[in-house]
Amino acid sequence: MSRVNFFALPLICFLLHGLAALAKIAIENPPFVFGNSGEDKLKRAFLNVDTPWDNDDVLSKPPYSLYVTLENFPNPFIHASLCNRNGLNYSYVCDPNKILSRSTADKLEEILSYQRRNSSHHCADRGEVPYVLGVALIERLPYGVSAETFSSQILEHWKLGNRNCNDGILLLFVKDDATFVLKWRKGAQSIINFRTATAMNKSFNMYIRRYSLEYSILRAVTLTSQYLTEEIIPPTQTAQIVVALTIGIVVGLGYLACILIVFSDAQKGNI
C-alpha cells in the first residue's frame, strides 16, 4: 500500500500543478477595471483587450460582456480617448472596443460634422438649432440587456442634444449580432419617428448583408445624416406631400369644372 502511495503522490502533485496553471489563463478581458479602494473608485483605467486580469482568480470572473455596462461605457464628450478617439477633446463617436479603423472613425466624424452644419429645426428655448447625432459601437451587449435598453441608457447618459431642446439621436451598433438600433428624443420626432426608423432599419440590414462591416456602418451613419439634413425626405413627410398634392389637384379640377360649367351655360344663353 505504501508503495502505491509513493508512486501516486507525484502523479497527484502533477495534476494539481496542471490545474493551477490552467486557472491562471486569462479567458477574456474587460475594457475597464474598477478597483474596490476609494481611490480606485475615482479612477477608471482603460485596458487593451490583450491586457490580463489583475488577479489570478480568472475562472470566477464572468464573461467580458457582463463588464460592459452603462457605468463603464465611456462618454465621448468627456473622455474621447476612452472611446478610441485619441487626440480629440470630445467626439460624437464612441468605439471603445476598436471595431473601426482610425480612418473610418474619422470619416464618421466628418459625416456627423456635415450633418450638424446642414440640419436645422426650431427649438422653443434656442430658436433654430441643428440635430445632434451620436454613434456608439460595442462588441457585445451586457448579459441580459437588450440593444433597445442599452441604447436608451446611452442616449440618456451622454445627454445628447441641444440644451433644453430634447432633440438628441443615437445610432448604436452591436458587432456580436450585427445589429443597428436608432434612438431619438421627442424633440427629433418631426424628422425621426417609428415609420422613418423602420424604413432606415431595412436599409441598415441590407448594408450588413451586402457590404463589409466598416462600410456598412459608414452607410448607416450617412443615411441617418441624410434624413436629418432632409436630403432624403422621410416617409411621413412624403405622405404629407402626396396628400397635399392630391388635395390641390382635386381643388384645381373642381375650379376647372366650375369654369367649364359657367362657360357652357354662357354659350347656351347666347344661342
Side-chain angles (χ1 to χ4, degrees):
M1 181 66 68
S2 60
R3 183 177 300 176
V4 173
N5 292 338
F6 177 78
F7 287 106
L9 185 60
L11 179 61
I12 293 172
C13 291
F14 176 77
L15 291 174
L16 290 175
H17 179 75
L19 290 173
L22 287 174
K24 294 183 179 181
I25 297 175
I27 297 176
E28 200 167 9
N29 305 302
F32 301 98
V33 170
F34 294 91
N36 294 323
S37 67
E39 180 180 356
D40 286 338
K41 287 181 180 178
L42 300 176
K43 182 179 179 181
R44 296 182 178 184
F46 182 75
L47 303 180
N48 186 277
V49 292
D50 296 325
T51 305
W53 293 93
D54 57 350
N55 62 64
D56 293 334
D57 191 18
V58 177
L59 294 180
S60 65
K61 295 285 186 182
Y64 156 79
S65 58
L66 287 176
Y67 281 81
V68 182
T69 65
L70 176 63
E71 287 74 21
N72 64 24
F73 194 87
N75 186 332
F77 301 99
I78 300 175
H79 301 295
S81 61
L82 300 186
C83 289
N84 197 29
R85 302 300 293 137
N86 298 317
L88 301 178
N89 293 327
Y90 63 90
S91 174
Y92 289 82
V93 178
C94 191
D95 180 23
N97 299 129
K98 300 183 179 180
I99 295 171
L100 302 176
S101 64
R102 174 72 190 221
S103 61
T104 300
D106 288 343
K107 289 178 183 177
L108 291 185
E109 295 280 12
E110 292 175 5
I111 294 169
L112 296 174
S113 176
Y114 173 86
Q115 172 265 307
R116 291 191 300 276
R117 294 194 309 270
N118 293 277
S119 66
S120 178
H121 71 102
H122 183 77
C123 173
D125 290 350
R126 304 190 63 180
E128 294 299 315
V129 293
Y131 290 105
V132 180
L133 172 63
V135 179
L137 303 102
I138 188 172
E139 185 77 23
R140 60 178 60 87
L141 292 166
Y143 178 77
V145 178
S146 69
E148 290 283 336
T149 300
F150 193 79
S151 56
S152 296
Q153 290 179 332
I154 293 298
L155 180 61
E156 180 66 27
H157 181 58
W158 286 4
K159 302 185 185 303
L160 272 176
N162 296 286
R163 187 182 297 275
N164 299 327
C165 295
N166 202 30
D167 56 358
I169 303 155
L170 176 75
L171 181 63
L172 171 70
F173 176 74
V174 184
K175 182 181 178 182
D176 190 47
D177 53 4
T179 299
F180 285 100
V181 177
L182 187 66
K183 282 291 179 180
W184 62 94
R185 292 179 177 274
K186 187 176 181 180
Q189 282 186 349
S190 62
I191 198 85
I192 300 291
N193 49 57
F194 178 76
R195 183 179 295 181
T196 305
T198 300
M200 294 170 70
N201 191 56
K202 291 179 181 178
S203 297
F204 296 159
N205 292 333
M206 180 191 68
Y207 298 155
I208 288 294
R209 291 194 303 269
R210 292 186 178 181
Y211 308 122
S212 66
L213 178 66
E214 290 201 350
Y215 188 66
S216 298
I217 295 170
L218 274 173
R219 290 290 298 265
V221 175
T222 300
L223 180 67
T224 308
S225 172
Q226 288 173 335
Y227 270 94
L228 296 177
T229 57
E230 298 188 70
E231 295 172 27
I232 295 178
I233 301 176
T236 51
Q237 292 188 14
T238 303
Q240 292 171 358
I241 292 172
V242 170
V243 170
L245 287 174
T246 302
I247 293 173
I249 291 171
V250 170
V251 171
L253 290 174
Y255 276 117
L256 180 60
C258 290
I259 292 172
L260 291 175
I261 291 171
V262 171
F263 181 76
S264 177
D265 290 342
Q267 290 291 333
K268 290 179 181 178
N270 292 332
I271 294 174

